[in-house]
Amino acid sequence: MADEFDLVVIGGGPGGYNCAIRAAQLGLTVACIDKRGTFGGTCLNVGCIPSKALLHASEVFEEAHHMGALGVKADKVSLDLPAMLGFKEKTVDELTKGIEFLFKKNKITGLKGTGKMLSATEVLFTSNEGEEKKLTAKNVVVATGSEVISLPGIEIDESRIVSSTGALSLEKVPGHLLVIGGGVIGLELGSVWRRLGAEVTVVEFLDHIGGEMDGEVSKTFLRALKKQGMKFKLSSKVTGVETSGKTLKVAVEPAKGGDAEEVEADVVLMCIGRKPFTAGVGLEDVGVMLDERGRIEVDGHYRTNVAGVYAIGDVIKGPMLAHKAEDESMAAAEIIAGKAGHVNYDVIPSVVYTNPEVAFVGMTEEQVKAAGIDYKVGKFPFTANAKAKVGGMTDGFAKIIADAKTDRVLGVHIVGPDAGNMIGEAAVAMEFGAAAEDIALTCHAHPTLSEAIRQAALGVDNRIMQM
Ligand code: FAD
Ligand code: NAI
C-alpha cells in the first residue's frame, strides 16, 4: 500500500517540488523523486541560488572599493574566496533543507534516487544506494529539467573548461576568464569573476548581448558592463580550445567566418544555452513524444500524448526560468486534482541579476514593431530619480511600451538598480490588463526607485514631470 500514490513526480526542482507541494495541499498522496543528494533541482543547487549568493557577495566586495565618495574609508578590503564560497554553500544548504521541511509538513514522500517510468502507472525508483522499488502512480509528472549545451569538440571538464556549475566553485580567481555566450549566465557569472579580479572576455555570436531583450536596453547594458571592465567580442564564435599547454588557447572567429585569432585564457566558461534533460526517464518505453528540439510535447493542460503522464518546467517549451516552472507546477497540480489551472505566458518576467540589473516583462519594442502594432513609448532615466541619486546608482532607465489606441501596457523594460524587484509591479499591472494611465495615476512613495516606472508611464502620454 505504502508504494501507491495519486501522483509521482520525477524531478525535485522548482517545477517538481512545487508541484508535489500543491498536489499534497489539494489532498493527493504524493512522492517526489530526485537523483541529486538534495532537493531543489538546478535552481537551488547549482543555478539561481548559488549564482545570486556569489553575485551579492561579489557586489559587496566591489562596492567596498568605492565607498570613499560616501565618506566611508575601507582601505584594507581583501578577498577571502573560500569564505565567499562557504557563504554560497551555506545558503544553498539552508534552502535545500527548507524543502525537506516542506515535504514533511505536507506529508510528501521525498525519495533520493532515480525515477524511471515502466508504464504510465508504474515508476521504478532506484535509490542512490542502489535499492530498487516499484511505485504505482495514478498520475506521473515529469519535471526533469535541463542540462548545459556544449560546442562540438570542446569538452567540459569543470576545472579549466567549465559550465555554470564549475564556474560557481572555482578555487581561485582566474587571470583571464573567457566566456562563450553573452546570455544570462555569461553576463551574471562573468560579472562575479570580473568583480573578484579576473579579466573577463565575452565572445557572443550575435551583434548584441542578452538574447531577446529590448534592443535599447541591451545597448545601455553593454555600455555599463564595458565601463566596469568587461570585454566583448560580438558577432564572433569560438571554434576550438587547445588544452595541451598551461594556458588554454581559444580560437575565435568572426560569426560569418574568416580568419581565427588565438586568445589565451586560464578558464573557459561554456554558456551558449541549455537543453531539456530526458535521458533515463523511460519516456521512449512509455511512448511519450518529444518535439524537434528534444522537449516533451504537452498540450495546454501539461498532458503528454500518454494519458496520466504530464510534464512541466525546463523539459517542455518556453523560457527556462524557475518561476515559469513554478507557475506550471501549480497549474498542473490543480489540473490533476480536477481543478482549473492556467499560466499566462504573456506575463512571465525575466531578470538578469548584474549591476545594473535588467528586468523585463511583455513585448520588446522590436517585437511590437514586428507585430505591426501602433505603439507609444515612455522612458525615464535613473539619473533623474532621487533614490537612485542618493544611492549613486544612476545607470539606466525604465521604459514602458503601450498600445497607441488602447493605452494598454504591452511591455515594461528596466535597466537599472533593483530592476528585478521593481518588475513585479509591472507584472501585476499587466496581469490586470492595466493601461499606462493606470500606472501614471497610482501614487508611488517618494523617494523610491519605482517612481521611475510611474514617470515612464507619464511619458507614454508625453507628460513626464521630473525631467
Ligand atoms: P530542474 O531545476 O533542473 O530540476 C530537475 C531535477 O530533476 C534535477 O534535480 C535532476 O537531478 C532531476 N532528475 C532528472 N532526471 C531524473 C530522474 N530520472 N530521476 C530523478 N531525478 C531526476 N532561473 C530563474 O528563474 N532565475 C535565476 O536567477 C536563474 N539562475 C540560474 C542560474 C544558473 C547558473 C542556471 C544553470 C540556471 C538558472 N535559472 C534561473 C534557471 C532555473 O534553474 C531553471 O529554469 C529551473 O531550475 C527549472 O526547474 P525544473 O524543475 O524544470 O528543473
Ligand atoms: P542564453 O540562451 O541566455 O544565452 C546563450 C548565448 O550564447 C546567446 O546570446 C547566444 O546567442 C550565444 N551563443 C550561442 N551559440 C554561440 C556560439 N557558438 N558562440 C558564441 N555565442 C553563442 O543561455 P545561458 O546563458 O547558457 O543560460 C541558459 C538558461 O538558463 C537561459 O535560458 C536562462 O533562462 C537560464 N538562466 C536564467 C537566469 C536568470 O533568470 N537570471 C540566470 C542564468 C540562467
Side-chain angles (χ1 to χ4, degrees):
M1 256 324 262
D3 294 337
E4 286 176 20
F5 297 93
D6 293 325
L7 172 64
V8 170
V9 183
I10 306 180
Y17 77 75
N18 281 301
C19 186
I21 292 171
R22 185 68 193 121
Q25 284 178 343
L26 291 167
L28 272 60
T29 54
V30 186
C32 181
I33 309 174
D34 200 294
K35 61 185 181 179
R36 259 174 233 279
T38 48
F39 290 103
T42 303
C43 178
L44 254 66
N45 289 283
V46 289
C48 325
I49 299 306
S51 61
K52 266 81 251 179
L54 287 185
L55 276 156
H56 173 68
S58 63
E59 193 167 342
V60 171
F61 178 66
E62 169 108 331
E63 276 178 6
H65 288 93
H66 302 288
M67 294 193 306
L70 308 182
V72 181
K73 280 195 163 183
D75 295 335
K76 288 190 183 133
V77 178
S78 63
L79 173 66
D80 181 346
L81 185 58
M84 196 179 276
L85 295 178
F87 161 72
K88 175 207 67 170
E89 294 301 333
K90 184 167 169 279
T91 312
V92 168
D93 187 50
E94 285 172 6
L95 285 170
T96 53
K97 286 205 178 98
I99 295 181
E100 305 252 1
F101 163 78
L102 291 173
F103 275 9
K104 274 202 191 91
K105 184 178 159 204
N106 289 286
K107 300 190 175 46
I108 294 163
T109 305
L111 298 169
K112 293 178 184 170
T114 306
K116 183 176 193 286
M117 275 187 291
L118 300 174
S119 71
T121 54
E122 282 176 314
V123 176
L124 178 68
F125 166 68
T126 309
S127 78
N128 285 341
E129 290 74 39
E131 282 167 42
E132 287 189 351
K133 133 165 116 168
K134 220 184 262 182
L135 313 178
T136 310
K138 289 193 186 124
N139 302 278
V140 176
V141 169
V142 181
T144 47
S146 60
E147 62 179 338
V148 65
I149 297 174
S150 189
L151 285 169
I154 303 179
E155 200 179 316
I156 294 172
D157 60 18
E158 296 297 12
S159 83
R160 294 207 296 168
I161 303 181
V162 296
S163 70
S164 52
T165 302
L168 289 167
S169 297
L170 297 178
E171 279 167 9
K172 62 176 193 181
V173 179
H176 184 203
L177 172 70
L178 186 133
V179 177
I180 312 180
V184 205
I185 292 180
L187 301 176
E188 286 189 353
L189 294 181
S191 287
V192 165
W193 292 106
R194 203 278 311 149
R195 290 169 191 165
L196 300 183
E199 183 190 342
V200 175
T201 306
V202 178
V203 179
E204 166 56 50
F205 189 82
L206 302 174
D207 63 359
H208 61 271
I209 59 166
E212 289 200 349
M213 71 177 51
D214 186 90
E216 208 177 356
V217 168
S218 171
K219 280 188 195 128
T220 301
F221 188 30
L222 178 66
R223 250 196 322 271
L225 294 177
K226 277 185 176 169
K227 211 162 75 185
Q228 293 165 19
M230 271 169 89
K231 296 191 178 115
F232 291 86
K233 288 182 183 293
L234 301 180
S235 305
S236 301
K237 63 182 178 194
V238 168
T239 50
V241 182
E242 169 58 54
T243 56
S244 57
K246 219 171 151 218
T247 54
L248 301 167
K249 294 194 168 47
V250 185
V252 182
E253 264 184 29
K256 289 184 192 142
D259 292 342
E261 65 168 314
E262 189 180 89
V263 182
E264 293 201 0
D266 302 286
V267 174
V268 166
L269 166 58
M270 179 72 73
C271 46
I272 58 165
R274 294 175 63 84
K275 60 183 178 193
F277 182 79
T278 53
V281 194
L283 299 175
E284 319 76 32
D285 306 336
V286 181
V288 172
M289 269 167 54
L290 306 183
D291 68 14
E292 71 294 345
R293 290 168 62 181
R295 303 172 295 195
I296 297 179
E297 243 176 324
V298 290
D299 65 9
H301 286 169
Y302 308 102
R303 291 180 295 214
T304 67
N305 61 310
V306 176
V309 180
Y310 298 75
I312 54 172
D314 279 11
V315 80
I316 66 167
K317 68 181 176 211
M320 289 184 170
L321 295 171
H323 42 279
K324 177 258 193 188
E326 181 182 339
D327 269 30
E328 290 174 346
S329 75
M330 286 195 286
E334 307 228 342
I335 288 164
I336 291 167
K339 295 179 176 296
H342 172 71
V343 175
N344 180 1
Y345 289 95
D346 292 336
V347 186
I348 303 229
S350 285
V351 182
V352 189
Y353 295 86
T354 43
N355 183 9
E357 287 186 351
V358 172
F360 51 96
V361 58
M363 298 170 89
T364 63
E365 195 166 345
E366 290 75 18
Q367 287 167 341
V368 173
K369 254 187 215 154
I373 300 169
D374 193 10
Y375 69 95
K376 295 182 291 184
V377 172
K379 217 171 95 179
F380 190 77
F382 284 104
T383 42
N385 173 276
K387 186 65 191 281
K389 201 85 183 161
V390 300
M393 322 169 279
T394 50
D395 270 343
F397 56 83
K399 168 175 174 176
I400 296 187
I401 305 170
D403 188 298
K405 290 192 197 82
T406 63
D407 197 37
R408 189 178 175 134
V409 177
L410 300 172
V412 178
H413 305 268
I414 308 170
V415 49
D418 217 15
N421 281 321
M422 280 196 286
I423 205 66
E425 163 180 352
V428 171
M430 287 181 68
E431 194 65 51
F432 279 76
E437 182 71 358
D438 293 321
I439 300 176
L441 289 179
T442 302
C443 184
H444 286 65
H446 176 75
T448 58
L449 294 168
S450 67
E451 285 176 288
I453 297 185
R454 185 202 205 168
Q455 291 296 323
L458 285 163
V460 169
D461 193 32
N462 281 323
R463 53 196 167 100
I464 286 182
M465 288 151 55
Q466 292 166 4
M467 202 178 66

